[in-house]
Amino acid sequence: MNRAYNDNREYTDAMDGLRFSDEAKARMVQNLLDAASESAPQQEKPHGRKSRLPRVAAVGVAAALVLGIGAGASGVFKSAGEAFSGVFGPTADTEIIDQIGRPVGASDTDNGVTITADAIIGDKYHYAITYSIVKEDGTPFDIDLSKTVGDGVLPMNFAEEDTSLSGYLGGTHGGSYFYDADPNDPSIQYVETREVSDGDVHGRTVKAKFSDLFVYDEDMNRTVIAEGDWSFKFNLDFEDTSINLPTGQTIDLNGMTATIDEITLSPLALRVDYTVDSEVQWDENAQSGKQSEHDSAQMEKYFDDLQIVVNKADGTSLDMSYAGGSIKPQDGKTICQKGDMFSEVIPLEDVVSLTVGGVEIPVQQ
Amino acid sequence: MIQLDRAEAERLVNTYSDLILRLSYTYLKNTQDAEDICQTVFLKLLTSGQVFDNPAHEKAWIIRATANACKDTMRSAFRRRTVALEVVAETPAPTAPENDVLEAVMALPENYREAVYLYYYEGYSVREIASLLGRSESAVNAHLSRGRQKLRMTLGGNEYEQSV
């Protein structure tokens, strides 16, 4: 009964219908001609250097402390002779220290640049891998570290990257970003976060492959700062870093009572399991391929309207209310699970509480 | 002074103004600022001195510049709140069609909306979208995947257990 989104005709037809009138286009042409005849060359705005470390970069430093990466912390700076090059080479072992997986010797060097897998952190359904990128000669990359794209994330990317799990047939999805954990050392950090849909990924082999590191400007023009191909393998080993928070709280949810059954919080993700004291009623007469207004309202009532906020020690908060999950009627009640990955690794000591449905739940370390 | 003749101005407007409108709508959820964003993007193009290898290269530049212009608009703390009535009468913004699927897409988070638009409407591949937006392919895949998940829930039929 689910509508297959591959049938995107309605979306494309709707977008086709969104267009300027001929009148508007004629006006734009004239405005453009008028502006062209009057305008002077555009002045570049000076880029001010920020006076303090952007928030996520600060988090990145804290995350680096949690993960123990950065200069001197994990012996990152190996000589070129110790690095693997060319094909993936043998699979590097991963030690687990304080729940963090630390690949041993998982790196490759090409054209004077070494990429190393430094640390792996994860919980039951998610993991993040941090890599460091450094020039062999120890000099910093020629980039302006003050030019971030927001939240301390550097405007960088690989022309190609692939970090597949050998033999894993389940689904994964996630994101990645670059940041500078320590402006005083010449390395740049690259973080990948992944959510796994099913099955255990512990012990599987990560085959990491990267090509050509570039930075991009505000016009998205690329400049390659490290040309090369890097390939290496390592074991994906880590311990579950999630903590369970106090549960049993009751919440008023649109006149119903919801009880929090379980809250799983890790530096990577949050998940809230709760039970509502009435059973969601789906529209049995709903037409195929489209959620009825009734069902949409039921979804809002039992799921969408549950607000979930992560409150951090720096006074900021992260609204997770739009997160996904599942909802299931069962024996007169409705079993719900709602949660999502964070867009960045958040050390748990930076989280002071969660607010779920208006109820504040402290995070005790 | 920018060198521009009517033929070139018409080419730019006829080729790209609807694209800029749709992309602006995707980011801003309204069409009010679309004409201004068109003006901004076209002027930026004309003053950039950019030379394009081919039409696809030019279109990619337009998309990136539009995305940046929309994000600047969203960041601005001084968005115009009131307009003179005569201005409203002369320049009515295009009306977004009423459509359940479009409404569902527009309810998605911004990153998902932009990926859905570029993938399903403009027909770009994941790799091309990653290059356009300066993201990793895995990030684009995640945005498309999660966007599809949420749309399946919003647009799908009944299930004993529904996933969002």
Side-chain angles (χ1 to χ4, degrees):
Chain A
M1 290 183 71
N2 279 337
R3 183 190 187 108
Y5 193 62
N6 283 334
D7 180 14
N8 61 10
R9 187 176 297 275
E10 275 198 60
Y11 174 66
T12 53
D13 285 350
M15 275 296 187
D16 280 342
L18 188 56
R19 57 184 65 213
F20 284 112
S21 65
D22 291 341
E23 240 179 8
K25 286 181 180 175
R27 183 174 56 244
M28 280 192 279
V29 168
Q30 192 56 51
N31 288 343
L32 198 54
L33 288 168
D34 292 342
S37 68
E38 291 166 9
S39 74
Q42 297 293 311
Q43 297 293 328
E44 286 293 324
K45 289 184 183 178
H47 291 103
R49 188 176 182 87
K50 290 185 179 174
S51 59
R52 62 176 177 83
L53 200 61
R55 180 174 58 83
V56 168
V59 170
V61 170
L65 293 175
V66 168
L67 300 176
I69 62 171
S74 63
V76 169
F77 302 112
K78 296 188 182 296
S79 68
E82 293 174 300
F84 299 111
S85 62
V87 297
F88 291 103
T91 304
D93 288 332
T94 297
E95 300 174 342
I96 298 177
I97 304 171
D98 295 333
Q99 296 186 306
I100 308 293
R102 299 183 185 281
V104 179
S107 66
D108 193 15
T109 299
D110 193 18
N111 284 340
V113 173
T114 298
I115 299 180
T116 304
D118 289 322
I120 310 165
I121 188 172
D123 60 27
K124 188 174 180 183
Y125 303 105
H126 314 88
Y127 65 88
I129 305 172
T130 302
Y131 303 81
S132 59
I133 307 164
V134 68
K135 291 163 73 173
E136 276 191 289
D137 61 10
T139 59
F141 288 101
D142 185 21
I143 55 176
D144 184 349
L145 296 175
S146 69
K147 288 188 181 180
T148 64
V149 292
D151 293 335
V153 172
L154 296 172
M156 300 175 68
N157 210 345
F158 289 107
E160 289 184 30
E161 60 89 20
D162 182 9
T163 51
S164 55
L165 291 179
S166 181
Y168 179 67
L169 301 179
T172 66
H173 62 265
S176 59
Y177 58 92
F178 291 80
Y179 77 101
D180 186 23
D182 184 356
N184 295 318
D185 86 57
S187 68
I188 298 291
Q189 279 64 47
Y190 174 65
V191 180
E192 285 188 326
T193 58
R194 290 285 184 273
E195 179 176 349
V196 297
S197 62
D198 63 304
D200 192 355
V201 295
H202 285 83
R204 293 197 178 270
T205 300
V206 177
K207 295 173 83 169
K209 192 173 180 183
F210 307 100
S211 295
D212 295 348
L213 179 65
F214 64 86
V215 293
Y216 54 90
D217 63 19
E218 54 192 18
D219 290 327
M220 309 309 277
N221 297 309
R222 295 181 181 186
T223 303
V224 175
I225 59 170
E227 195 172 328
D229 296 292
W230 300 269
S231 302
F232 50 94
K233 296 187 293 186
F234 56 95
N235 288 328
L236 188 73
D237 278 323
F238 55 91
E239 287 182 6
D240 187 348
T241 54
S242 58
I243 60 174
N244 288 330
L245 271 58
T247 53
Q249 302 88 343
T250 56
I251 300 165
D252 177 80
L253 183 62
N254 291 316
M256 305 176 293
T257 299
T259 304
I260 297 177
D261 300 317
E262 188 175 356
I263 301 177
T264 309
L265 174 68
S266 79
L268 299 180
L270 169 65
R271 169 173 155 161
V272 177
D273 292 66
Y274 63 98
T275 301
V276 185
D277 66 350
S278 67
E279 188 168 307
V280 63
Q281 300 294 327
W282 299 122
D283 185 355
E284 293 179 358
N285 298 318
Q287 292 178 1
S288 173
K290 182 176 172 179
Q291 187 178 51
S292 65
E293 281 188 21
H294 168 86
D295 286 356
S296 189
Q298 289 283 285
M299 184 59 62
E300 280 183 20
K301 183 179 177 184
Y302 283 83
F303 190 89
D304 295 340
D305 285 351
L306 181 71
Q307 287 196 321
I308 301 176
V309 179
V310 177
N311 303 304
K312 297 167 74 173
D314 64 1
T316 60
S317 60
L318 200 59
D319 188 358
M320 305 290 288
S321 302
Y322 67 85
S326 67
I327 171 172
K328 180 174 70 175
Q330 182 175 298
D331 300 328
K333 298 183 180 180
T334 306
I335 314 298
C336 305
Q337 172 253 311
K338 186 168 180 176
D340 207 347
M341 276 190 92
F342 303 131
S343 58
E344 60 196 28
V345 177
I346 302 178
L348 293 183
E349 55 263 36
D350 286 1
V351 181
V352 295
S353 67
L354 305 181
T355 305
V356 181
V359 174
E360 188 162 357
I361 302 165
V363 174
Q364 292 165 348
Q365 304 294 328
Chain B
M1 194 174 90
I2 302 167
Q3 301 293 327
L4 177 68
D5 61 22
R6 180 167 289 275
E8 177 63 6
E10 287 176 348
R11 183 190 76 83
L12 286 174
V13 171
N14 290 333
T15 307
Y16 296 118
S17 62
D18 289 337
L19 160 65
I20 296 172
L21 168 63
R22 291 166 189 142
L23 198 49
S24 301
Y25 179 68
T26 297
Y27 283 111
L28 304 176
K29 295 191 176 185
N30 70 69
T31 58
Q32 301 298 328
D33 295 308
E35 270 199 51
D36 288 343
I37 289 176
C38 280
Q39 185 87 337
T40 300
V41 169
F42 292 145
L43 285 176
K44 191 164 186 180
L45 174 61
L46 294 167
T47 57
S48 70
Q50 189 87 12
V51 175
F52 300 106
D53 298 333
N54 50 54
H57 188 196
E58 184 181 64
K59 182 179 176 182
W61 190 98
I62 292 283
I63 288 174
R64 291 186 198 116
T66 302
N68 289 337
C70 288
K71 289 173 185 178
D72 286 344
T73 300
M74 287 189 284
R75 276 194 291 265
S76 168
F78 298 101
R79 295 192 68 183
R80 194 155 37 98
R81 298 291 180 198
T82 60
V83 294
L85 286 176
E86 58 273 22
V87 174
V88 172
E90 287 175 5
T91 59
T95 306
E98 288 186 9
N99 176 279
D100 289 336
V101 177
L102 182 59
E103 207 175 295
V105 172
M106 295 308 294
L108 297 173
E110 179 192 306
N111 287 345
Y112 302 1
R113 295 199 304 271
E114 74 182 347
V116 165
Y117 173 77
L118 291 171
Y119 187 83
Y120 286 105
Y121 190 78
E122 294 295 340
Y124 284 106
S125 69
V126 167
R127 173 155 297 182
E128 288 167 334
I129 295 171
S131 175
L132 276 170
L133 301 179
R135 301 191 200 285
S136 69
E137 288 182 41
S138 57
V140 174
N141 269 323
H143 297 155
L144 282 172
S145 169
R146 292 184 192 177
R148 280 193 287 261
Q149 272 181 12
K150 288 189 180 294
L151 287 168
R152 252 183 242 125
M153 189 54 235
T154 304
L155 299 168
N158 294 339
E159 292 284 344
Y160 179 73
E161 176 175 349
Q162 302 220 29
S163 292
V164 293

